[in-house]
Amino acid sequence: MRAIFAKTFKTKTRDEWCKVFDGSDACFAPVLSFSEARRNAHNLSRKSHVTVAEVEQPAPAPRFSRTPGEVRRAPPERGEAVRRPCATGGSMRPRFSG
């Protein structure tokens, strides 16, 4: 059955499949790239992305009315997660207490 589905889905591009399902009641949504998701009308209306320190990123989720999520700091620089433990003499291996 997987082979049949794979063969069928390969017969059209993503955009062609979107046209096939447009206006139907099928549970369908295309897989978007990050750039496409940021420009998607639904995501724009829901404010699903935020910009912090000139870096666009997904907004915190879930969002509750009494305790809304917030971005507390700028995103890490590339490699920062590796440099920080090494700079303090820490180990890269996780520690488990138990």
Side-chain angles (χ1 to χ4, degrees), residues 15-31:
D15 291 339
E16 289 171 331
W17 281 113
C18 286
K19 288 178 186 175
V20 168
F21 287 102
D22 189 35
S24 76
D25 63 351
C27 184
F28 168 84
V31 176

Side-chain angles (χ1 to χ4, degrees), residues 28-69:
F28 168 84
V31 176
L32 303 175
S33 70
F34 184 72
S35 295
E36 291 170 319
R38 294 184 321 212
R39 295 187 308 268
N40 179 272
H42 176 81
N43 293 340
L44 288 170
S45 70
R46 294 185 49 88
K47 298 180 180 148
S48 297
H49 294 85
V50 296
T51 301
V52 178
E54 299 182 25
V55 176
E56 196 157 354
Q57 57 192 320
R63 290 184 242 168
F64 300 111
S65 59
R66 291 185 289 173
T67 56

